[in-house]
Structure formats: structure tokens, C-alpha cells
Amino acid sequence: MIETTPQPPRALVVTLAMERRTDWQIMRAEQEAFSLLDTLGIQVAGSISFYVKEPSSATLIGKGQLEEVAEHRRFFDCDIVYFDTSLTPRVDRNLERALECPVMDRNELIIEIFASRARTREARLQVQLARLQFLLPRLKQSTAAYAQQRGGVRGAKGEGERQIELDRRRLEAEMTRLRREIGIVKRNRDTQRKRRLASSTPSFALVGYTNSGKSSLLKALTGQDTLCEDKLFATLDPLERTMELERGLTAIVSDTVGFVSNLPHSLIEAFSSTLEEATLSDVLILVLDASSDDVDENYRTTLSVLEELGAKDKPMILVFNKGDLPVSNEVAVSSIRALHPDAVMTSAKTGENLDRLKERMRNEARRIVGTTKVTLAVDDTEGIRKAYASGKVIGVDYGVDSVVFTMRTR
């Protein structure tokens, strides 16, 4: 008996330039598509790119381009054709009919990646809802779609409900149930978050392009275990850790879902729980992969998503992570450094310059909580005891006759 290992599905990647895009931008889009497909376990068998001057309302691309895609699919023996853009349900159906194989667009691919990475109940609920929102307008008629499923009320005219109508109703009912469950989870999380905000503890949110090393950096800063994988979207759930910046001064550091260019709006809405950490935190720690060829594009993408979330103007510490690896794009790194001269080059792997990053975080935390100096006589034992008992002491300077306490005011 011969055992065979199931082969991963093979995909043809179609990249479209809907506006003026340089060859480098198209190549970068292709490479990102390759990484996304690899994350889902789909093998890239071939790729092709087109400039689309006037998109077709039926198939997005022209007739000649469609024939070329079909030829490439047959030549590379592909199971799937992936279009690195968002397709309408009508275009999706027409392309599948013309290419005689499943078609996947960028929204569906990212939703499926999120589904494969979801671990907590909340993340799974959110992915299920995003999936159904994507599927609902794409319900397809089968050959028996117009067959009568059940009769109408006696005496009424009409053939009763059709299969597609039943399917649509079931999906809408399931979406209502998921929204209700997500609402319950969200209320519980909001209650926990209100308690955290009421504690006046400074909060930092790690944000950045997916796979830039945010989770590894969180683990290195706090010394607490987190999931660290060299994969896109390793973190989908809000992940908070507490770290002591100095005596009497602690901070909450949150990891967030990695950003990616053209993140589907349905997922921005569905994963609001983890993205909210960026909007509600006191300070953002923007993490860039210093070894990436596309560090400048990743920087712009991150700023774009932050702007969409309404968090672009928050205080920010910029970190170049993976400093233990060679810098691939010196020009881009230098350009970003010119905008952020106090940026920190770190390595979560080796611990390089983590002390500098912690010092930046300490300064920001002191600014947030506010500090004041309290001077007490060295023999004022009761006053000194009360100062320490307050839990707000973050620094002490003993003199000959006096003690100067640096205390947070918040």
C-alpha cells in the first residue's frame, strides 16, 4: 500500500495595476501576495500582472487578458486563481465561470488567514462573522435554485421559498447570533478596560506591519511568554502584559494585530477589539522590521491604517526591530530616521538597545502620570512611611538633613 501526502493547492497570482504604479510597486504587491498565500499553505505556481485602464464591469479585466490568465492557469496546472484586489460578487462569479476554477480575491484570502490564526472565542466569533459578511452577497444559484422548497399558505399564490432565499435567511440569522455573542464579549472586555483606565496606569500599544516582530518585542520587554512565530498575523487577539518601568511606575503594554496594505474594512470592523488598543493607548510604539526591503512602504501602510483608526496623532516611539540582521534598505531607514531622529534600533532576539527603549517608555510614562517633588526631613519617619505607603514613589534622593521623593501625581 502506497501512502501519498496531500499536495497543497496551486495558485496563479494575478496582480492588477488599476492606476499608475511603478514596476517596483507591482513587484512588491506580488511578493506580499506570495507571502499571504504561503501563510495559508497555498503554493504559488505562477504569476502574471496587467495594467487595467478601463475595468470591465463583468470581469474587471479585458477579454484578451482573461484568455491570457486562462492559458497561464492551464500551463501551470493551477487549482486556484488569486486576484490581488477586491472583487465584486458578480465579477467573482463571471471569472470562475470563464476560468473554470475557484477564484479568490484579497479580502477572502486575508479572512481565511485570520480564520486559521484565530485562537480565542472572541477571535473565532469575529472571523465567522467576517466570513458570513463576505459570503452573503456571493450566494450562488444552483441548477435547482428555483425549485419549490415548500408550499405557500393554503389559498395563497406562488411557489414558496426558493433554496437561495432559505440559505440567505439562515446566514442572516447566524450573523445576528454572532453579533449578539460578540456584543456580550465586548461588554465584558469594555468593563475590564474601564477598570484598567481607572487605575491611571500608562498604556503602550505595539503597532506595525505584520511580522515586524511586535510579539517578540513584547516578550523581550516584559519577560512574559507570548506567541512568537515567523508568520503573518500571528497575533489576532488583544494581548496585554504589565511591566515595571521603575519603582512605583508600572505600564501596560498591548500587542495588536499586524497591519497590511489594503486591509479589508470588514476585518477592521471585526477586529476592532485588538485595533482599539491603538486608539485607547496613551503612547504608540511603532515597530518596523529594519531588515525588510520594504521598510518605507511598511511605514507608510502603518501610518495609513493608524489614520483610518484615528490614532495617527498620538505620541509615538518609533522602533527599528530586528537590528541583529543586516539592514537591506539603508536609504529608506535613513529617510525615516530623518523624520524620527530619536528612533531606537533594537533587537528582540539579542536584547540590543532594549534599555534605551525602556528609558523612552519611562520618560513617556512620567509625562503621562505627572511627577512632583516632595521634600521631608530625614527624621520625619511618619511622613516618609506615608510617602512609601502611597505607592506613588518613583525616585528617592537622600541628603544629610532631608529626603527628596519624586512621586507620580496620577
Side-chain angles (χ1 to χ4, degrees):
M1 185 175 179
I2 300 175
E3 292 186 5
T4 59
T5 303
Q7 295 298 310
R10 295 164 58 83
L12 173 68
V13 175
V14 181
T15 309
L16 305 178
M18 313 298 272
E19 53 189 26
R20 290 185 179 178
R21 298 175 79 180
T22 64
D23 292 341
W24 178 85
Q25 288 174 318
I26 293 174
M27 183 177 67
R28 181 185 183 277
E30 281 188 342
Q31 291 299 322
E32 185 180 75
F34 297 166
S35 296
L36 291 169
L37 287 164
D38 180 66
T39 298
L40 197 58
I42 297 176
Q43 179 184 349
V44 176
S47 65
I48 187 171
S49 60
F50 296 111
Y51 174 70
V52 181
K53 186 176 182 180
E54 295 182 4
S56 165
S57 60
T59 57
L60 190 63
I61 57 179
K63 184 178 179 180
Q65 293 172 332
L66 186 58
E67 291 175 354
E68 195 172 344
V69 172
E71 289 176 5
H72 274 69
R73 186 194 77 78
R74 288 190 292 269
F75 177 79
F76 289 109
D77 189 25
C78 296
D79 309 296
I80 301 169
V81 175
Y82 169 71
F83 283 80
D84 193 42
T85 187
S86 177
L87 302 176
T88 66
R90 177 174 180 244
V91 168
D92 194 316
R93 285 193 295 271
N94 291 339
L95 287 173
E96 287 194 348
R97 192 176 298 119
L99 297 172
E100 299 179 339
C101 76
V103 168
M104 177 180 282
D105 71 354
R106 185 180 181 83
N107 289 14
E108 183 180 4
L109 176 59
I110 296 179
I111 288 172
E112 291 304 316
I113 293 174
F114 273 42
S116 69
R117 311 297 291 165
R119 287 176 174 80
T120 66
R121 176 170 173 262
E122 181 178 9
R124 288 194 292 268
L125 289 171
Q126 289 167 331
V127 168
Q128 289 175 32
L129 179 59
R131 260 180 167 171
L132 295 183
Q133 288 172 331
F134 179 83
L135 178 62
L136 184 61
R138 288 169 170 77
L139 284 178
K140 298 175 183 178
Q141 307 268 8
S142 67
T143 54
Y146 290 97
Q148 181 172 324
Q149 298 302 308
R150 65 182 185 191
V153 178
R154 180 177 296 180
K157 296 180 180 179
E159 60 181 2
E161 286 188 295
R162 298 166 181 170
Q163 181 61 48
I164 193 169
E165 294 167 344
L166 288 171
D167 290 343
R168 184 180 298 277
R169 207 149 53 82
R170 277 195 290 265
L171 283 183
E172 290 174 342
E174 179 66 7
M175 288 167 62
T176 299
R177 182 189 69 80
L178 289 171
R179 289 192 183 98
R180 185 165 55 247
E181 289 195 39
I182 291 172
I184 294 171
V185 175
K186 187 177 185 300
R187 283 194 294 273
N188 293 337
R189 189 184 64 250
D190 288 345
T191 300
Q192 296 171 353
R193 183 176 283 146
K194 285 177 182 177
R195 290 173 185 161
R196 188 193 78 190
L197 294 174
S199 69
S200 300
T201 303
S203 59
F204 297 80
L206 294 161
V207 298
Y209 207 79
T210 183
N211 204 32
S212 59
K214 298 184 298 299
S215 298
S216 298
L217 192 59
L218 177 64
K219 181 178 181 179
L221 286 170
T222 65
Q224 301 176 50
D225 283 339
T226 62
L227 175 68
C228 303
E229 294 184 79
D230 187 20
K231 290 184 178 180
L232 303 183
F233 304 115
T235 300
L236 292 185
D237 307 291
L239 184 61
E240 296 178 352
R241 295 290 184 266
T242 302
M243 67 177 292
E244 186 175 34
L245 295 173
E246 59 185 341
R247 181 177 60 183
L249 186 59
T250 59
I252 293 173
V253 187
S254 304
D255 199 1
T256 63
V257 64
F259 298 160
V260 69
S261 60
N262 301 318
L263 187 66
H265 285 273
S266 60
L267 288 179
I268 290 179
E269 179 183 354
F271 283 85
S272 59
S273 59
T274 182
L275 294 171
E276 275 176 1
E277 295 301 330
T279 63
L280 297 176
S281 64
D282 295 309
V283 180
L284 300 178
I285 301 177
L286 196 161
V287 184
L288 295 173
D289 179 356
S291 66
S292 172
D293 290 330
D294 304 322
V295 61
D296 52 343
E297 191 67 27
N298 296 346
Y299 171 69
R300 285 192 288 270
T301 295
T302 301
L303 291 183
S304 175
V305 176
L306 289 174
E307 184 172 20
E308 190 170 350
L309 294 172
K312 186 180 178 182
D313 296 326
K314 279 185 171 291
M316 183 184 298
I317 300 173
L318 192 137
V319 174
F320 288 104
N321 195 28
K322 304 186 183 182
D324 54 299
L325 301 176
V327 175
S328 299
N329 195 335
E330 290 278 5
V331 174
V333 170
S334 298
S335 298
I336 298 172
R337 274 189 176 279
L339 298 172
H340 301 269
D342 53 356
V344 184
M345 178 72 76
T346 67
S347 169
K349 184 177 181 179
T350 66
E352 175 189 354
N353 286 334
L354 285 182
D355 54 342
R356 285 189 57 199
L357 176 56
K358 290 178 181 178
E359 181 61 29
R360 291 286 311 279
M361 295 173 69
R362 267 194 295 272
N363 292 337
E364 289 291 341
R366 286 176 177 175
R367 177 187 60 77
I368 293 165
V369 300
T371 60
T372 186
K373 301 283 188 181
V374 176
T375 303
L376 300 173
V378 73
D379 57 356
D380 186 1
T381 55
E382 180 63 16
I384 293 173
R385 185 192 67 78
K386 288 182 178 179
Y388 279 117
S390 70
K392 295 184 177 182
V393 176
I394 59 177
V396 185
D397 183 17
Y398 281 92
V400 177
D401 301 317
S402 62
V403 183
V404 179
F405 289 96
T406 301
M407 304 181 69
R408 57 185 176 87
T409 57
R410 178 175 136 181

